[in-house]
């Protein structure tokens, strides 16, 4: 019997191994989709750290995603010879700064005020991206070419799908694992307890404002990394990366997947991207169906896909309908 | 147990992705148009022309012995949506040919994608000069006029009519500015004595034109030039005419039947003039034959958008036929320098920037016309292709071969 403590690590190792063989199993079209799924999975995970863990409902997460996306696009165009690492590093640095500054302003308020303020900030960023034509390309967007990846001893051509897929798998995968690790740390647990009872935390001597700011900045930087890969994946970035639509997208992914667990939003990202691809082939009205699915999920299955999976698993293991409260975080998931 | 179950679900979902699609042996061309949203009517009319062209080609034995299949793609007028869908079509269905007419932003992004993916993008309506200028690419072909050519055609018309005092009004963004600059440049060359008496910019989407109209009237022009389109054209005329703006308006998009219908009052439109690469009223035998056949098949007329995308698709088919293969480098090579003698005269694809050299057709809006009950185009006159041509050296295009 494997020690319970090691299980998550084995699970992660298995996922990486599964990801590593995918280029052999999947055709280019699906590999392309899988790359997109991985990128959006990180975006959804970062959002869930805010929503699921800290209980902060933000309508402005796309400003970090878009900021990362635009930083990569603009820097690759304007700084000749910039390496892939440099561009990604810049994106993370930029979103960290933006996260820290906006977080400092936004986190003074709670609940609905916070939600509306984030929406306002997102709109502000989006307006700047649309109007600042000389830098962001406005409605035209920016086309970039992926630079080669320099590993010190060798250089890998990133033009192909497969090589970029592996790069994404490794970097984004590592980022997701880091996010999971973050939830296991004392800091991560503090965030959880803060959600449950902030007053008590204050009495115990924690500075909840600082903890929250750290979390906000952290999730911003993670979303920025996802945004950076979004630009690198599509080799294109336009104002829709920073628009409120992109916030709605991540909200949908997170809710469809379920906010109760760490892995739920990743499942949500998978379902969202797959559905989007298939639905938009069938009908031009695909956002309508996405909306219906969202409404259905929120009304009847508030725990998302995670809830369905848990229910089905309980059926199999014979424990009929012992519905564990989803709000309670389990250590390993 | 829990993890294993999660894994099973993940694996099943991933494997579900791998279901192969059935491939048919056709030559596929994807039409990237806004098929939803507020520009739907434009996208649908463009698409109509492409589909009709495919039908004509297929009825005449197909292309290289295969059927041409048109894949309609809703670009949503967003470059990111268009490129993402196009990328999927390339990877999944091996589509190599793309075309579109709405939104230069979509066009510019598609141009880059085509170059990366070794595909061909054809524009029959995206007009920003830069796409065959400084951004030009060997994988991009434009089979319609660009802003430079269209402004040149209208400047030629102004010079021909002998207007001495010209007022200009345009939307204040890149398209309006480019159109205006080209018009002024050309008019100064064709008729140096013509005077620009007013030059006004207004924000796109202006609701109240009264201040602009009074400035226009005060300048006492013989004619007014505007590249405005959509509501900015309709409102300019609707508000301007009653205020006493009686001059002829020369516009890019005056021959749009939807605009004329939306105006609701023919008297606002009669006398105005426009120029396009295709108008319904081109008086050549080839065009009359095309219009008659289209009307017989469809029950309505191939107005400008449909005509443009039809001819563009026929031109593309000629290039593929000449290449004898759908191999992209071969098609590019075959298309360069190729001519197409269609309903709107002789078109030549220039090798230096892949901008088709086309004649323009100017037309006046009149009450009596054989097409519609409302006012529409009078018989069109031609501005020859060489009169609207921008020399290779002036386009700013440095094509990588």
């Amino acid at each position: 019997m494997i020690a319970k403590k090691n299980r998550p690590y084995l699970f992660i190792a298995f996922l990486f191994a599964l990801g590593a063989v995918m280029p052999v199993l999947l055709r280019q079209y699906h590999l392309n989709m899988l790359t997109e799924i991985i990128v959006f999975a990180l975006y959804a995970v970062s959002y869930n750290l805010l929503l699921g863990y800290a209980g902060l409902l933000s309508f402005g997460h796309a400003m970090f995603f878009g900021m990362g996306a635009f930083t990569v696009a603009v820097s690759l165009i304007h700084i000749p010879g910039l390496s892939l690492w440099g561009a990604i590093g810049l994106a993370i640095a930029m979103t960290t700064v933006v996260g820290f500054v906006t977080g400092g302003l936004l986190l003074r308020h709670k609940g609905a005020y916070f939600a509306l303020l984030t929406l306002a900030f997102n709109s502000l960023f989006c307006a700047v991206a649309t109007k600042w034509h000389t830098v962001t390309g406005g409605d035209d967007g920016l086309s970039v070419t992926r630079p080669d990846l320099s590993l010190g001893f060798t250089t890998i051509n990133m033009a192909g799908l497969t090589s970029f897929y592996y790069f994404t798998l490794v970097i984004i995968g590592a980022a997701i694992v880091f996010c999971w690790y973050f939830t296991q740390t004392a800091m991560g647990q503090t965030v959880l307890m803060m959600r449950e009872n902030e007053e008590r935390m204050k009495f115990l001597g924690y500075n909840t404002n600082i903890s929250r700011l750290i979390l906000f900045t952290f999730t911003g930087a993670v979303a920025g990394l996802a945004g950076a890969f979004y630009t690198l994946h599509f080799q294109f970035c336009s104002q829709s990366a920073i628009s409120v639509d992109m916030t709605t997208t991540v909200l949908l992914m997170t809710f469809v997947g379920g906010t109760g667990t760490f892995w739920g939003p990743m499942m949500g990202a998978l379902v969202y991207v797959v559905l989007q691809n298939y639905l938009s082939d069938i009908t031009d009205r695909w956002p309508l169906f996405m909306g219906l699915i969202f409404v259905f999920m929120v009304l009847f299955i508030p725990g998302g896909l995670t809830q369905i999976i848990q229910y089905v698993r309980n059926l199999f293991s014979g424990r009929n309908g012992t519905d564990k409260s989803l709000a309670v975080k389990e250590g390993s998931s | 147990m829990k993890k294993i179950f999660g894994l099973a679900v993940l694996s099943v979902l991933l494997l579900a992705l791998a279901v192969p699609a059935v491939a048919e042996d056709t030559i596929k061309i994807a039409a990237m148009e806004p098929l939803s949203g507020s520009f739907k009517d434009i996208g649908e009319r463009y698409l109509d022309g492409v589909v009709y062209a495919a039908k004509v080609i297929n009825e005449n034995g197909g292309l290289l012995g295969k059927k041409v299949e048109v894949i309609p793609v809703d670009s949503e007028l967003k470059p990111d949506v268009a490129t993402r869908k196009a990328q999927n079509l390339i990877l999944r269905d091996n589509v190599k040919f793309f075309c579109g007419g709405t939104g230069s932003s979509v066009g510019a992004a598609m141009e880059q994608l085509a170059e990366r993916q070794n595909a061909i993008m054809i524009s029959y309506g995206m007009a920003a000069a830069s796409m065959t200028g400084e951004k030009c690419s060997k994988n991009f072909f434009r089979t319609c006029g660009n802003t430079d050519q269209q402004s040149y055609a209208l400047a030629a018309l102004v010079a021909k009519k002998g207007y001495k005092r010209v007022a200009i009004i345009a939307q204040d963004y890149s398209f309006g500015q480019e159109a205006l600059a080209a018009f002024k440049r050309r008019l100064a060359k064709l008729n140096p004595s013509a005077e620009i008496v007013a030059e006004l910019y207004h924000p796109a989407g202006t609701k109240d034109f009264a201040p602009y109209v009074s400035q226009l009237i005060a300048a006492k022009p013989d004619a007014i030039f505007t590249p405005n389109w959509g509501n900015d054209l309709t409102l300019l005329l609707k508000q301007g005419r009653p205020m006493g703006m009686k001059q002829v308006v020369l516009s890019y998009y005056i021959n749009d039947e939807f605009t004329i219908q939306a105006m609701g009052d023919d008297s606002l439109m009669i006398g105005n003039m426009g120029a396009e690469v295709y108008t319904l009223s081109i008086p050549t035998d080839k065009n009359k034959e095309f219009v008659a056949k289209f009307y017989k098949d469809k029950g309505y007329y191939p107005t400008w958008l449909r005509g443009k995308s039809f001819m563009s698709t026929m031109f593309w088919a000629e290039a593929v036929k000449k290449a004898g293969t759908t191999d992209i480098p071969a098609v590019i090579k075959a298309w360069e320098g190729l001519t197409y003698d269609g309903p709107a005269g002789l078109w030549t694809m220039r090798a230096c920037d892949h901008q088709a050299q086309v004649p323009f057709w100017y037309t006046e809006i009149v009450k009596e016309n054989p097409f519609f009950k409302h006012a529409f185009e009078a018989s069109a006159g031609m501005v020859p292709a060489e009169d609207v041509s921008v020399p290779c050296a002036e386009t700013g295009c440095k094509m990588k071969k």
Side-chain angles (χ1 to χ4, degrees), chain B residues 21-157:
Chain B
V22 185
E24 268 179 83
D25 198 22
T26 53
I27 297 178
K28 299 183 185 71
I29 180 162
M32 323 292 296
E33 293 292 348
L35 301 175
S36 58
S38 45
F39 294 97
K40 188 171 175 244
D41 67 296
I42 292 177
E44 280 179 344
R45 279 183 286 165
Y46 270 135
L47 176 64
D48 203 18
V50 180
V51 171
Y52 186 71
K55 184 171 168 258
V56 170
I57 295 166
N58 291 339
E59 277 171 359
N60 292 307
L63 192 56
L64 309 177
K66 293 176 187 170
K67 293 253 184 257
V68 173
E69 182 187 348
V70 179
I71 304 173
V73 180
D74 183 9
S75 72
E76 299 174 28
L77 209 60
K78 291 177 187 155
D80 56 311
V81 173
T83 47
R84 168 212 171 92
K85 288 183 176 174
Q87 171 91 4
N88 283 344
L89 286 173
I90 293 170
L91 294 173
R92 188 184 52 191
D93 303 324
N94 200 21
V95 178
K96 291 174 178 171
F97 301 105
F98 295 87
C99 58
T102 324
S104 288
S105 56
V106 172
M110 283 300 300
E111 181 169 10
Q112 297 261 349
L113 182 80
E115 188 169 332
R116 270 200 301 270
Q117 296 286 348
N118 190 32
I120 285 181
M121 172 68 194
I122 306 149
S123 160
Y124 42 70
M126 301 150 176
S130 59
M131 282 189 275
T132 51
E134 58 268 30
K135 286 186 200 159
C136 72
S137 154
K138 66 178 190 317
N139 300 75
F140 182 83
F141 290 86
R142 176 151 46 201
T143 52
C144 63
N146 59 34
T147 42
D148 282 347
Q149 288 170 304
Q150 198 155 5
S151 281
Y152 281 19
L154 286 161
L157 184 58

Side-chain angles (χ1 to χ4, degrees), chain A residues 7 11 14-15 18 22 26-30 32-34 36 139-140 143-145 161 230 234-236 238 240 245 267 270 274 276-278 280-281 284-286 309-310 312-313 316 330 332-333, chain B residues 1-3 5-7 9-11 13-21 35-36 40 73-74 76 78-81 83-85 87-89 91-92 104-106 108-109 112-113 116-117 135 174:
Chain A
R7 274 213 201 145
F11 177 58
F14 181 83
L15 273 188
L18 192 71
M22 276 302 160
L26 295 179
R27 295 181 318 156
Q28 294 271 292
Y29 166 65
H30 294 119
N32 189 49
M33 210 196 283
L34 187 59
E36 193 182 339
D139 282 332
D140 292 352
S143 279
V144 295
T145 308
L161 253 178
Y230 170 86
F234 288 106
Q235 305 191 53
F236 183 78
S238 74
S240 58
D245 281 358
M267 207 102 76
L270 184 138
V274 171
Q276 184 190 16
N277 271 287
Y278 285 106
S280 66
D281 277 354
D284 293 337
R285 312 269 183 281
W286 66 271
I309 290 169
Q310 252 164 11
V312 174
R313 203 186 56 234
F316 273 103
E330 293 166 274
S332 64
S333 59
Chain B
M1 184 63 211
K2 182 181 169 197
K3 293 289 170 266
F5 191 84
L7 278 183
V9 171
L10 261 179
S11 317
L13 282 170
L14 284 173
L15 286 175
L17 293 179
V19 181
L35 301 175
S36 58
K40 188 171 175 244
V73 180
D74 183 9
E76 299 174 28
K78 291 177 187 155
D80 56 311
V81 173
T83 47
R84 168 212 171 92
K85 288 183 176 174
Q87 171 91 4
N88 283 344
L89 286 173
L91 294 173
R92 188 184 52 191
S104 288
S105 56
V106 172
Q112 297 261 349
L113 182 80
R116 270 200 301 270
Q117 296 286 348
K135 286 186 200 159
S174 52

Side-chain angles (χ1 to χ4, degrees), chain A residues 118-135:
Chain A
T118 51
L119 182 65
F121 265 73
N122 200 151
S123 304
L124 174 74
F125 275 83
C126 183
V128 170
T130 314
K131 295 287 175 193
W132 199 8
H133 204 277
T134 44
V135 172

